[in-house]
Amino acid sequence: MSFEAYSTAVAGPVFFERKELDALMRLYGRMVAAGEWRDYGIAGLKDMAVFSVFRRASEAPLYRIEKRPDLARRQGAWAVVGQGGHVLKRGHELGQVLRLFDKGKFSVVE
């Protein structure tokens, strides 16, 4: 087994750090209070961590906020992905990417 394959297997799944989860939950609370979001899901996968937000629990996610450490040096580890799978914003810092949802710049389209 090569060293690269071994280090990936030992590393385990990617997940959010406490500070990152705090920022995500603050945004989620703000959007719930505004009546835009109703539910969320968190997944720690082999190559990325995903925070998904839903209008209703039975639907597909409205947005996915993804952390992909493999892309950190290139286009940025953070991305907001819309319902159709399109990347709406990408960047190197979570705060910068979450500005997409700032009041006045963002509105949900039915």
Side-chain angles (χ1 to χ4, degrees):
M1 177 164 22
S2 71
F3 175 73
E4 183 179 41
Y6 178 75
S7 64
T8 303
V10 173
V14 175
F15 207 72
F16 299 106
E17 296 174 12
R18 185 179 194 98
K19 189 176 179 181
E20 297 164 348
L21 273 175
D22 183 51
L24 291 168
M25 294 310 288
R26 273 190 315 229
L27 171 65
Y28 176 75
R30 212 173 70 221
M31 297 304 278
V32 166
E36 300 291 339
W37 297 348
R38 303 252 189 275
D39 201 5
Y40 72 93
I42 299 176
L45 306 173
K46 179 182 170 187
D47 59 341
M48 69 177 172
V50 181
F51 184 87
S52 302
V53 293
F54 301 84
R55 176 157 307 186
R56 291 174 199 85
S58 62
E59 295 181 351
L62 288 173
Y63 301 98
R64 294 187 327 262
I65 301 166
E66 300 179 349
K67 175 183 179 182
R68 294 179 180 257
D70 292 345
L71 298 177
R73 289 194 173 149
R74 288 177 265 172
Q75 47 199 351
W78 294 98
V80 175
V81 181
Q83 236 177 355
H86 299 289
V87 175
L88 304 175
K89 185 145 179 130
R90 183 179 299 278
H92 294 279
E93 295 179 19
L94 178 59
Q96 167 201 2
V97 172
L98 294 182
R99 285 191 200 115
L100 173 72
F101 300 105
D102 284 351
K103 188 174 181 178
K105 294 182 180 177
F106 168 77
S107 63
V108 176
V109 178
E110 298 265 346

